Amino acid sequence: MENRYGSFSGTADAFWYDTEGKLIQAHGGQVQKFVINGREKWYWIGEDKTYGYRPCSGIRMYSSDDLYNWKDEGIVLRTMGSVDEFEDEYFKILYGTLSLEEKEAIFTDLDKNNCVIERPKMLYNEKTGKYVVWFHADGRFPGCSGDYDKAKAGVAVSDSPKGPFRLLGSYKLNYHNDPNGEYGFDGWEKRGSVRDLNLFLDRDKTAYVIYSSEGNRTTFISKLNEEYTNLAADRDKAVEGKDFTRNFIGEFREAHAMFFYRDKYYLMNSGCTAWSPNPARYAVADHPLGPWTEMGNPCIEEGRETTYGTQSTCIIVVDEEKGICIYMGDRWREEDLGKSGYVWLPLVFGPKYGMALKKEENWSYE
Ligand code: GAL
């Protein structure tokens, strides 16, 4: 494997190529470390935007030893052009036992000419030995022409981070049980809607999904079941405050990234301005469900009102002891989404849980 990079371009935002010289396609992504067969590696999962917004080619995976040089591991969740493709060997192995009706439901979420697959995130479940991917499942389907009306969470599983991932389904999640509440453009009818989402795995192996809901007005944090494949509690019986919480109500936050550092939980996110960048914010808590104390904008240098032209997607805690944390931001290029940039920057911590996102070009974390 050819190691060409020894630094991150940061806000210089140079095109980032994989070890074969192809542009990396892992937008809205997440990086984490797994030890597989005794071998420790970093894994980067993200949106493949080779063809721009659509056709949607699915979710791609890369692996690395040093966070700078990434090997393409291919598309790990594949989309399809028509239901006929369920007859192809690849899809037969994954979905062969499903009924026609079930296949049609899967097709709605994987239809490359109509679906939207955004912000994929992955967890490893120690109990089941499976890798679980969650993503924002949206897009058009018969009777719905909007790209963001479906607003569900897609969940897929595999025996390997390199896939192939099998889609289990797509779901509406928790909702505030008051038909007369204020739920923005979703209204009560579309309760449980999910748009930008992320996952968080706590030290006790409890996992959470963090997502924008109620017409993006509110940030929900919901506990997952033991397999990480669905909510911990049936959404019609779930108890607000115990199974899930509603946070930053009416503040329109998205692009959530949660992490644990030293003795606090941190949650960073952005405002809702589509592909255009806006000021980031962060909050700290003593529990993943909150309550969250708002800390303001972590950016300290020029360009802070646009998060240096980026939107958060993940924070990598590289080395807690040494205090090495990396912010992964997307610099979306709406006119050519496949060429959107990856702006990775250092996060530094001060007293009283203060956190600062630094503006840095061509920097190394070691
Ligand atoms: C952003 C969101 C992206 C994508 C985009 C579509 O606000 O963070 O993931 O959904 O809107 O306009």
Side-chain angles (χ1 to χ4, degrees), residues 47 53 118-119 136 148 196 254-255 270-275 311 332:
E47 300 163 21
Y53 191 65
E118 290 181 340
R119 299 190 174 272
H136 170 195
Y148 294 102
D196 277 12
E254 63 179 12
S270 76
C272 293
T273 53
W275 303 112
Q311 189 183 30
W332 300 112

Side-chain angles (χ1 to χ4, degrees), residues 101-161:
E101 206 178 313
E102 288 166 329
K103 282 179 183 161
E104 278 167 357
I106 295 290
F107 179 69
T108 301
D109 293 323
L110 298 183
D111 173 1
K112 67 166 116 181
N113 297 306
N114 291 291
C115 74
V116 167
I117 294 178
E118 290 181 340
R119 299 190 174 272
K121 302 289 179 292
M122 184 173 60
L123 294 176
Y124 174 63
N125 188 294
E126 278 181 5
K127 279 200 184 127
T128 60
K130 302 266 186 212
Y131 294 81
V132 187
V133 164
W134 284 60
F135 62 93
H136 170 195
D138 227 314
R140 311 177 293 215
F141 56 92
C144 171
S145 60
D147 286 323
Y148 294 102
D149 286 343
K150 187 164 80 179
K152 289 164 117 188
V155 183
V157 295
S158 173
D159 294 326
S160 161

Side-chain angles (χ1 to χ4, degrees), residues 290-301:
W292 292 90
T293 303
E294 299 213 37
M295 303 289 285
N297 186 342
C299 298
I300 48 170
E301 292 168 75

Side-chain angles (χ1 to χ4, degrees), residues 301-333:
E301 292 168 75
E302 200 195 323
R304 67 192 299 272
E305 64 294 333
T306 62
T307 317
Y308 314 130
T310 73
Q311 189 183 30
S312 44
T313 184
C314 177
I315 283 145
I316 318 167
V317 181
V318 179
D319 190 326
E320 204 173 338
E321 241 166 69
K322 291 190 187 145
I324 303 173
C325 291
I326 299 175
Y327 160 88
M328 288 172 65
D330 293 294
R331 184 171 286 175
W332 300 112
R333 292 199 169 82

Side-chain angles (χ1 to χ4, degrees), residues 12-13 20 27 31 70-71 76 102 167 215 222 225 274 296 314 341 348:
D13 185 22
E20 282 160 37
H27 308 279
V31 165
W70 293 91
K71 176 176 183 277
V76 296
E102 288 166 329
L167 185 70
S222 302
N225 65 11
C314 177
V348 294

